[in-house]
Amino acid sequence: MLDMEAIKNFSIDKSDWKKVKFGDVVFEPKESVKDPIAEGVEHVVGLEHIDSQEIQLERSGSTEGGTTFTKKFSKGDVLFGRRRAYLKKAAKANFAGICSGDITVMRTKKEKLIQDLLPFIVNNTKFFDYAIKHSAGGLSPRVKFKDLSTNEIDLPPLNIQEDLLELLSSAEKLHSENIKLKHYLEVNNKVFVTNKISGMSEKSPVFKLGDLVEFTTGKLDSNASVENGTYPFFTCAPTTLKIDQYSFDCEALLLAGNNASGVYPLKHYKGKFDAYQRTYVIQIKDSNSLMYSYLLEVLRNKLELLQRLSVGSSTKFLTIKVLKNLDVPVPLIDEQLDFVNKVSAYHQAISDSDSNCNSYKNLYEELKQKVF
């Protein structure tokens, strides 16, 4: 594992590095494929397959559905998103295939630059800033390789390049593994919740949500908020607004009526608050038999179902009739508590993993900037 403090304090002697033009060590291969199927091409890559600021190309399309792309790339090439360079898309291809004309294929002159080091040179803030500055066009600005080729970079000697590649690859691997761990935890949490609720539906009494809770709809629109208000005003948006008046003084769950986009606990806001007019404030009738934290997980698990049941043309809305008829299993309080505690452990692990992801990403980016 990398020493984070060592990375923070990392410095490198560049006295024997040479300043060269990008085009002196990297070229754009102009290879094409006339018949992808006949030539056995399996992978098709568009800009949508390259994840912003991720150094490895993980996704691709297939030639089975047909394609108009003809630009060929080889395994190990760097695919640089030349359209809208501000999206910061540049990744190493771990397979061969064909790609969009909005992607520039890059390959090193191996006697001067190790190919595997190229993704780290290209995928950093300084290189993207140069690409953005030299892009041309209105709504979809593009940058040409001939313009990128004039960018000056610091080139280390070949023997130093191997050491830098090992260092940067280790940092990138650690960053990538933490992202995969977070995804693994999120998937397992979802599977656990789904299976547990399904099992409780078979073994426990099942009630209609309308028999378990009281629904109240907010009465205000977002214009009702004030800059220095006294009470929180919830719209199910990421930012909590403020208001000078209130309609509620209770513990509750908040469910967005617009397309059932989310459900949120209000236990941290016990006291006076108000809510947006297309938001449901949900209060449990008997808190001795049903826990808010348990109901929260049940409703979150059923959001995709509620979204499918929402009605409307442009903006879909979840009706009170659908909500009232939602089936909710109600096991004994001890079982609810055990379930909630296990889900909370998952949430804590995901939160810790997210913090690690951010820390390693910041250190990884800092390391790239210090090297190139």
Side-chain angles (χ1 to χ4, degrees):
M1 183 174 290
L2 291 177
D3 185 333
M4 291 204 247
E5 283 302 316
I7 293 175
K8 287 181 180 179
N9 299 319
F10 173 78
S11 63
I12 188 167
D13 179 11
K14 297 185 179 182
S15 59
D16 59 346
W17 292 30
K18 294 180 180 179
K19 193 169 286 293
V20 299
K21 290 184 177 179
F22 186 70
D24 292 338
V25 294
V26 177
F27 69 99
E28 179 186 15
K30 298 292 184 73
E31 301 168 357
S32 62
V33 173
K34 291 184 178 180
D35 189 340
I37 301 295
E39 296 188 36
V41 176
E42 298 180 2
H43 299 281
V44 179
V45 176
L47 284 175
E48 68 276 12
H49 297 118
I50 305 176
D51 295 316
S52 178
Q53 295 183 289
E54 292 300 329
I55 210 164
Q56 302 291 340
L57 180 63
E58 302 287 351
R59 301 180 292 123
S60 68
S62 171
T63 55
E64 293 181 358
T67 180
T68 59
F69 298 166
T70 60
K71 184 183 289 190
K72 182 180 178 180
F73 64 88
S74 299
K75 182 178 179 180
D77 285 344
V78 169
L79 305 187
F80 182 87
R82 72 184 194 93
R83 179 166 68 93
R84 295 175 179 165
Y86 56 81
L87 295 176
K88 299 183 177 181
K89 295 189 173 190
K92 173 188 172 184
N94 295 310
F95 46 79
I98 53 177
C99 64
S100 163
D102 285 325
I103 294 173
T104 296
V105 180
M106 296 179 176
R107 195 176 298 166
T108 64
K109 299 175 183 179
K110 295 183 180 179
E111 70 279 6
K112 297 181 179 180
L113 177 62
I114 297 173
Q115 177 67 26
D116 286 343
L117 201 56
L118 179 58
F120 299 101
I121 295 174
V122 172
N123 206 323
N124 74 62
T125 301
K126 285 182 282 189
F127 194 91
F128 283 125
D129 286 346
Y130 187 91
I132 294 167
K133 181 179 179 180
H134 290 80
S135 295
L139 295 176
S140 295
R142 291 171 171 81
V143 62
K144 297 178 179 179
F145 181 79
K146 71 175 184 178
D147 294 318
L148 295 175
S149 66
T150 61
N151 184 23
E152 289 191 336
I153 63 171
D154 292 322
L155 182 70
L158 279 172
N159 62 318
I160 300 297
Q161 291 181 27
E162 292 284 358
D163 295 335
L164 291 175
L165 176 60
E166 183 178 357
L167 175 66
L168 291 166
S169 296
S170 297
E172 189 273 331
K173 182 179 180 181
L174 187 59
H175 168 56
S176 177
E177 286 177 347
N178 273 275
I179 291 175
K180 290 177 181 177
L181 174 60
K182 179 187 173 185
H183 178 69
Y184 171 83
L185 291 170
E186 289 172 338
V187 170
N188 274 267
N189 175 57
K190 187 173 182 179
V191 170
F192 169 75
V193 171
T194 299
N195 290 343
K196 194 68 176 177
I197 291 175
S198 176
M200 288 187 290
S201 296
E202 296 175 359
K203 299 177 181 178
S204 305
V206 177
F207 297 86
K208 298 297 182 184
L209 183 60
D211 295 329
L212 300 171
V213 304
E214 297 285 354
F215 296 97
T216 310
T217 307
K219 305 298 181 184
L220 304 173
D221 61 29
S222 56
N223 293 327
S225 65
V226 294
E227 185 174 350
N228 298 311
T230 305
Y231 309 107
F233 175 41
F234 298 102
T235 64
C236 282
T239 303
T240 302
L241 304 177
K242 294 289 186 177
I243 200 165
D244 277 335
Q245 55 189 334
Y246 65 91
S247 301
F248 304 96
D249 186 1
C250 59
E251 183 175 5
L253 300 179
L254 198 70
L255 192 149
N258 284 346
N259 199 35
S261 57
V263 56
Y264 309 92
L266 295 186
K267 67 178 181 178
H268 299 303
Y269 298 94
K270 288 182 180 179
K272 305 170 177 62
F273 66 91
D274 220 312
Y276 178 57
Q277 61 189 356
R278 296 176 75 82
T279 301
Y280 293 111
V281 178
I282 300 174
Q283 295 174 257
I284 291 175
K285 294 179 180 179
D286 182 7
S287 58
N288 291 318
S289 60
L290 181 62
M291 297 173 60
Y292 275 101
S293 51
Y294 168 77
L295 181 59
L296 172 67
E297 297 302 331
V298 173
L299 292 178
R300 282 178 170 170
N301 183 257
K302 294 179 180 290
L303 276 179
E304 290 183 8
L305 170 63
L306 294 175
Q307 288 165 3
R308 292 196 299 270
L309 296 174
S310 297
V311 296
S313 51
S314 57
T315 301
K316 294 193 173 184
F317 186 72
L318 179 63
T319 65
I320 192 73
K321 180 179 179 181
V322 168
L323 268 178
K324 285 184 175 180
N325 284 295
L326 185 70
D327 288 333
V328 176
V330 182
L332 297 174
I333 283 290
D334 286 347
E335 293 179 62
Q336 294 180 39
L337 182 60
D338 179 67
F339 169 72
V340 167
N341 287 339
K342 289 177 179 176
V343 174
S344 294
Y346 265 114
H347 288 174
Q348 185 60 54
I350 292 170
S351 177
D352 292 342
S353 179
D354 188 52
S355 295
N356 287 336
C357 282
N358 291 331
S359 296
Y360 286 125
K361 180 179 180 180
N362 291 337
L363 288 168
Y364 170 48
E365 291 299 324
E366 184 178 344
L367 183 59
K368 282 195 297 181
Q369 301 311 316
K370 285 186 175 183
V371 174
F372 295 112

